[in-house]
Coordinates of all heavy atoms in Angstrom, one line a residue:
Chain T
Y50 N 2.0 -34.3 -30.2 CA 2.0 -35.2 -29.0 C 1.1 -36.4 -29.3 O 0.2 -36.3 -30.1 CB 1.4 -34.4 -27.8 CG 2.4 -33.4 -27.2 CD1 2.8 -32.3 -27.8 CD2 3.0 -33.7 -26.0 CE1 3.7 -31.4 -27.2 CE2 3.9 -32.8 -25.4 CZ 4.2 -31.7 -26.0 OH 5.1 -30.8 -25.4
Y52 N -1.6 -38.6 -27.4 CA -2.6 -38.6 -26.2 C -3.3 -40.0 -26.2 O -3.7 -40.5 -27.2 CB -3.6 -37.5 -26.3 CG -3.1 -36.1 -26.2 CD1 -2.4 -35.5 -27.2 CD2 -3.3 -35.4 -25.0 CE1 -1.9 -34.2 -27.1 CE2 -2.8 -34.1 -24.8 CZ -2.1 -33.5 -25.9 OH -1.6 -32.2 -25.7
Y54 N -6.8 -41.6 -24.4 CA -8.0 -41.5 -23.7 C -8.7 -42.8 -23.6 O -8.5 -43.7 -24.5 CB -9.0 -40.5 -24.3 CG -8.6 -39.0 -24.1 CD1 -7.6 -38.4 -24.8 CD2 -9.3 -38.2 -23.2 CE1 -7.3 -37.1 -24.7 CE2 -9.0 -36.9 -23.0 CZ -8.0 -36.3 -23.8 OH -7.6 -35.0 -23.6
Q56 N -12.8 -44.6 -22.9 CA -14.2 -44.3 -22.7 C -14.9 -45.6 -22.2 O -15.0 -46.6 -22.9 CB -14.9 -43.8 -23.9 CG -16.3 -43.3 -23.6 CD -17.0 -42.6 -24.8 OE1 -16.5 -42.8 -26.0 NE2 -17.9 -41.8 -24.6
S59 N -21.0 -45.6 -21.5 CA -22.0 -44.6 -21.1 C -21.3 -43.4 -20.3 O -22.0 -42.6 -19.8 CB -23.1 -45.2 -20.3 OG -22.7 -45.4 -19.0
Q60 N -20.0 -43.4 -20.3 CA -19.3 -42.3 -19.6 C -18.6 -41.4 -20.6 O -18.4 -41.8 -21.7 CB -18.4 -42.8 -18.5 CG -19.0 -43.6 -17.4 CD -18.0 -44.0 -16.4 OE1 -16.9 -43.5 -16.3 NE2 -18.4 -45.0 -15.6
G61 N -18.2 -40.2 -20.1 CA -17.4 -39.4 -21.0 C -15.9 -39.9 -21.1 O -15.5 -40.6 -20.3
P62 N -15.3 -39.5 -22.2 CA -13.9 -39.9 -22.3 C -13.0 -39.5 -21.2 O -13.2 -38.4 -20.6 CB -13.4 -39.2 -23.6 CG -14.7 -39.0 -24.4 CD -15.7 -38.8 -23.4
Y64 N -9.1 -38.9 -19.8 CA -7.7 -38.7 -20.1 C -6.9 -39.7 -19.4 O -7.1 -39.9 -18.2 CB -7.3 -37.3 -19.8 CG -5.8 -37.1 -19.8 CD1 -5.0 -37.0 -20.9 CD2 -5.1 -37.0 -18.5 CE1 -3.7 -36.9 -20.9 CE2 -3.7 -36.8 -18.5 CZ -3.0 -36.8 -19.7 OH -1.7 -36.6 -19.6
H67 N -0.2 -38.6 -21.8 CA 0.3 -38.1 -23.1 C 1.8 -38.0 -23.1 O 2.4 -37.9 -22.0 CB -0.4 -36.8 -23.5 CG 0.0 -35.6 -22.7 ND1 -0.4 -35.3 -21.4 CD2 0.8 -34.6 -23.1 CE1 0.1 -34.2 -21.0 NE2 0.9 -33.7 -22.0
Y105 N -8.6 -44.8 -27.0 CA -8.3 -44.0 -28.1 C -6.9 -43.4 -28.1 O -6.5 -42.8 -27.1 CB -9.3 -42.8 -28.2 CG -10.7 -43.2 -28.4 CD1 -11.6 -43.2 -27.3 CD2 -11.3 -43.4 -29.6 CE1 -12.9 -43.5 -27.4 CE2 -12.6 -43.8 -29.8 CZ -13.4 -43.8 -28.7 OH -14.7 -44.2 -28.8
R109 N -1.8 -35.0 -31.9 CA -2.3 -33.6 -32.0 C -1.1 -32.6 -31.8 O -0.3 -32.8 -31.0 CB -3.3 -33.4 -31.0 CG -4.2 -32.2 -31.3 CD -4.9 -31.7 -30.0 NE -3.9 -31.0 -29.2 CZ -4.1 -30.6 -27.9 NH1 -5.2 -31.0 -27.4 NH2 -3.2 -30.0 -27.3
A111 N 0.4 -29.6 -30.3 CA 0.2 -29.1 -29.0 C -0.4 -27.7 -29.0 O -1.3 -27.3 -28.3 CB 1.5 -29.1 -28.2
R112 N 0.1 -26.8 -29.9 CA -0.3 -25.4 -29.9 C -1.2 -25.1 -31.1 O -1.3 -24.0 -31.5 CB 0.9 -24.5 -29.9 CG 1.7 -24.6 -28.6 CD 2.8 -23.5 -28.5 NE 2.1 -22.2 -28.4 CZ 1.7 -21.7 -27.2 NH1 1.7 -22.4 -26.1 NH2 1.2 -20.5 -27.2
S114 N -4.4 -23.9 -32.8 CA -5.2 -22.8 -32.3 C -6.5 -23.3 -31.7 O -7.1 -22.7 -30.8 CB -5.5 -21.8 -33.4 OG -6.1 -22.4 -34.5
S115 N -7.0 -24.5 -32.2 CA -8.3 -25.0 -31.7 C -8.1 -26.0 -30.6 O -9.1 -26.2 -29.9 CB -9.1 -25.6 -32.9 OG -8.5 -26.8 -33.2
Y116 N -7.0 -26.6 -30.5 CA -6.7 -27.6 -29.5 C -7.7 -28.7 -29.6 O -8.0 -29.4 -28.6 CB -6.7 -27.0 -28.1 CG -5.6 -26.1 -27.8 CD1 -5.6 -24.8 -28.2 CD2 -4.4 -26.6 -27.3 CE1 -4.5 -23.9 -28.0 CE2 -3.3 -25.8 -27.1 CZ -3.4 -24.5 -27.5 OH -2.3 -23.6 -27.3
K117 N -8.3 -28.9 -30.7 CA -9.4 -30.0 -30.8 C -8.7 -31.3 -30.9 O -7.6 -31.5 -31.3 CB -10.2 -29.8 -32.1 CG -9.5 -29.9 -33.4 CD -10.4 -29.7 -34.5 CE -9.7 -29.8 -35.9 NZ -8.7 -28.7 -36.1
L118 N -9.5 -32.3 -30.4 CA -9.1 -33.7 -30.5 C -9.9 -34.4 -31.6 O -11.1 -34.1 -31.7 CB -9.4 -34.4 -29.2 CG -8.6 -33.9 -27.9 CD1 -9.2 -34.6 -26.7 CD2 -7.2 -34.2 -28.1
F120 N -11.1 -38.0 -32.6 CA -11.2 -39.4 -32.1 C -11.4 -40.3 -33.3 O -12.2 -40.1 -34.1 CB -12.3 -39.5 -31.2 CG -12.1 -38.9 -29.8 CD1 -12.3 -37.5 -29.6 CD2 -11.7 -39.7 -28.7 CE1 -12.1 -36.9 -28.4 CE2 -11.5 -39.1 -27.5 CZ -11.7 -37.7 -27.3
G121 N -10.6 -41.4 -33.3 CA -10.8 -42.4 -34.3 C -11.7 -43.5 -33.7 O -12.6 -43.2 -32.9
Chain F
R96 N -28.8 -34.8 -17.7 CA -28.2 -36.0 -18.1 C -29.0 -36.7 -19.2 O -28.4 -37.3 -20.1 CB -28.0 -37.0 -16.9 CG -27.0 -36.6 -15.9 CD -25.6 -36.5 -16.5 NE -25.2 -37.7 -17.2 CZ -24.7 -38.8 -16.7 NH1 -24.6 -38.9 -15.3 NH2 -24.4 -39.8 -17.4
Y118 N -10.2 -23.0 -22.3 CA -10.9 -23.7 -23.4 C -12.0 -24.5 -23.0 O -11.9 -25.3 -22.0 CB -9.9 -24.5 -24.2 CG -9.1 -23.7 -25.3 CD1 -8.1 -22.9 -24.9 CD2 -9.5 -23.9 -26.6 CE1 -7.4 -22.2 -25.9 CE2 -8.8 -23.1 -27.6 CZ -7.7 -22.3 -27.2 OH -7.1 -21.6 -28.1
F120 N -15.3 -27.1 -24.9 CA -15.6 -27.8 -26.2 C -16.9 -28.5 -26.1 O -17.3 -28.9 -25.0 CB -14.5 -28.9 -26.5 CG -13.1 -28.4 -26.5 CD1 -12.4 -28.3 -25.3 CD2 -12.4 -28.1 -27.7 CE1 -11.1 -27.8 -25.3 CE2 -11.1 -27.6 -27.6 CZ -10.5 -27.5 -26.4
Y122 N -18.8 -31.8 -28.1 CA -18.7 -32.9 -29.0 C -20.0 -33.6 -29.0 O -20.8 -33.6 -28.0 CB -17.6 -33.9 -28.6 CG -16.2 -33.4 -28.6 CD1 -15.7 -32.7 -27.5 CD2 -15.4 -33.7 -29.7 CE1 -14.3 -32.3 -27.5 CE2 -14.0 -33.3 -29.7 CZ -13.5 -32.6 -28.6 OH -12.2 -32.2 -28.6
Q124 N -21.5 -37.6 -30.0 CA -21.0 -39.0 -30.3 C -22.2 -39.8 -30.8 O -23.2 -39.9 -30.2 CB -20.5 -39.6 -29.0 CG -19.9 -41.0 -29.3 CD -19.1 -41.5 -28.1 OE1 -19.5 -41.3 -26.9 NE2 -18.1 -42.3 -28.3
L130 N -16.6 -39.4 -31.8 CA -16.8 -38.1 -31.3 C -16.5 -37.1 -32.3 O -15.4 -37.1 -32.9 CB -16.0 -37.8 -30.0 CG -16.5 -38.4 -28.7 CD1 -15.9 -39.8 -28.4 CD2 -16.3 -37.5 -27.6
L132 N -16.4 -32.8 -33.1 CA -16.4 -31.5 -32.5 C -17.5 -30.6 -33.1 O -17.5 -30.4 -34.3 CB -15.0 -30.8 -32.6 CG -14.9 -29.5 -32.0 CD1 -14.9 -29.6 -30.4 CD2 -13.5 -28.9 -32.4
Y135 N -16.2 -24.8 -30.2 CA -15.3 -24.7 -29.1 C -15.1 -23.2 -28.8 O -15.5 -22.3 -29.5 CB -13.9 -25.3 -29.4 CG -13.1 -24.7 -30.5 CD1 -12.1 -23.8 -30.2 CD2 -13.4 -25.0 -31.8 CE1 -11.4 -23.2 -31.2 CE2 -12.6 -24.4 -32.8 CZ -11.6 -23.5 -32.5 OH -10.9 -22.9 -33.5
F177 N -21.1 -34.4 -25.3 CA -20.1 -34.2 -24.3 C -19.5 -32.9 -24.3 O -19.2 -32.3 -25.4 CB -19.0 -35.3 -24.5 CG -19.4 -36.7 -24.2 CD1 -19.7 -37.5 -25.3 CD2 -19.5 -37.2 -23.0 CE1 -20.1 -38.8 -25.1 CE2 -19.9 -38.5 -22.7 CZ -20.2 -39.3 -23.8
I183 N -4.6 -23.9 -20.9 CA -3.5 -23.7 -21.9 C -2.3 -23.2 -21.1 O -2.4 -22.4 -20.3 CB -3.9 -22.6 -22.9 CG1 -5.2 -23.0 -23.6 CG2 -2.8 -22.4 -23.9 CD1 -5.1 -24.4 -24.3
T184 N -1.2 -23.9 -21.4 CA 0.1 -23.4 -20.8 C 1.0 -23.0 -22.0 O 0.7 -23.1 -23.1 CB 0.8 -24.6 -20.1 OG1 1.1 -25.6 -21.0 CG2 -0.2 -25.2 -19.0
F185 N 2.2 -22.6 -21.6 CA 3.1 -22.2 -22.6 C 3.4 -23.3 -23.6 O 3.5 -23.0 -24.8 CB 4.5 -21.8 -21.9 CG 5.5 -21.4 -22.9 CD1 5.6 -20.2 -23.5 CD2 6.5 -22.4 -23.3 CE1 6.6 -19.9 -24.4 CE2 7.5 -22.1 -24.2 CZ 7.5 -20.8 -24.8
F186 N 3.4 -24.5 -23.1 CA 3.7 -25.6 -24.1 C 2.4 -26.1 -24.8 O 2.5 -26.8 -25.7 CB 4.3 -26.8 -23.3 CG 5.6 -26.5 -22.7 CD1 5.8 -26.2 -21.4 CD2 6.8 -26.4 -23.5 CE1 7.0 -25.9 -20.8 CE2 8.0 -26.1 -23.0 CZ 8.1 -25.8 -21.6
G187 N 1.2 -25.6 -24.3 CA 0.0 -25.9 -25.0 C -0.5 -27.3 -25.0 O -1.3 -27.6 -25.8
N188 N 0.1 -28.2 -24.2 CA -0.2 -29.6 -24.3 C -1.1 -30.1 -23.2 O -1.1 -31.3 -23.0 CB 1.1 -30.4 -24.4 CG 1.9 -30.2 -23.1 OD1 1.7 -29.2 -22.4 ND2 2.8 -31.0 -22.9
P190 N -4.3 -31.7 -21.4 CA -5.3 -32.6 -21.9 C -6.7 -32.0 -21.7 O -6.9 -31.1 -20.9 CB -5.2 -33.8 -21.1 CG -4.6 -33.4 -19.8 CD -3.6 -32.3 -20.2
Q191 N -7.7 -32.5 -22.4 CA -9.1 -32.1 -22.2 C -9.7 -33.0 -21.2 O -9.4 -34.2 -21.2 CB -9.9 -32.1 -23.5 CG -9.4 -31.1 -24.5 CD -10.2 -31.2 -25.8 OE1 -11.3 -31.7 -25.9 NE2 -9.6 -30.7 -26.9
F193 N -13.5 -34.3 -19.7 CA -14.8 -34.4 -20.2 C -15.8 -34.6 -19.1 O -15.6 -35.2 -18.1 CB -14.9 -35.6 -21.2 CG -14.3 -35.5 -22.5 CD1 -12.9 -35.5 -22.6 CD2 -15.1 -35.2 -23.6 CE1 -12.3 -35.4 -23.9 CE2 -14.5 -35.0 -24.9 CZ -13.1 -35.1 -25.0
G194 N -17.1 -34.1 -19.4 CA -18.2 -34.4 -18.5 C -18.8 -35.7 -18.9 O -18.3 -36.4 -19.7
D195 N -19.8 -36.1 -18.1 CA -20.4 -37.4 -18.3 C -21.5 -37.5 -19.4 O -22.0 -38.5 -19.7 CB -21.1 -37.9 -17.0 CG -20.0 -38.3 -16.0 OD1 -18.9 -38.7 -16.4 OD2 -20.3 -38.2 -14.8
R198 N -27.7 -37.3 -22.8 CA -28.3 -38.1 -23.8 C -29.6 -37.5 -24.3 O -30.5 -37.4 -23.5 CB -28.5 -39.5 -23.2 CG -27.2 -40.3 -23.2 CD -27.1 -41.2 -22.0 NE -25.8 -41.8 -21.9 CZ -24.7 -41.2 -21.4 NH1 -24.8 -40.0 -20.9 NH2 -23.6 -41.8 -21.4

Side-chain angles (χ1 to χ4, degrees):
Chain T
Y50 282 72
Y52 291 78
Y54 283 77
Q56 189 171 22
S59 79
Q60 297 181 18
Y64 165 76
H67 73 283
Y105 297 98
R109 199 203 75 189
R112 294 190 66 83
S114 60
S115 72
Y116 291 88
K117 63 181 181 291
L118 297 173
F120 287 80
Chain F
R96 290 296 311 278
Y118 272 76
F120 307 82
Y122 294 85
Q124 186 171 33
L130 280 97
L132 182 67
Y135 66 98
F177 291 102
I183 302 303
T184 67
F185 175 79
F186 297 103
N188 60 342
Q191 293 179 23
F193 287 77
D195 285 332
R198 282 144 189 83

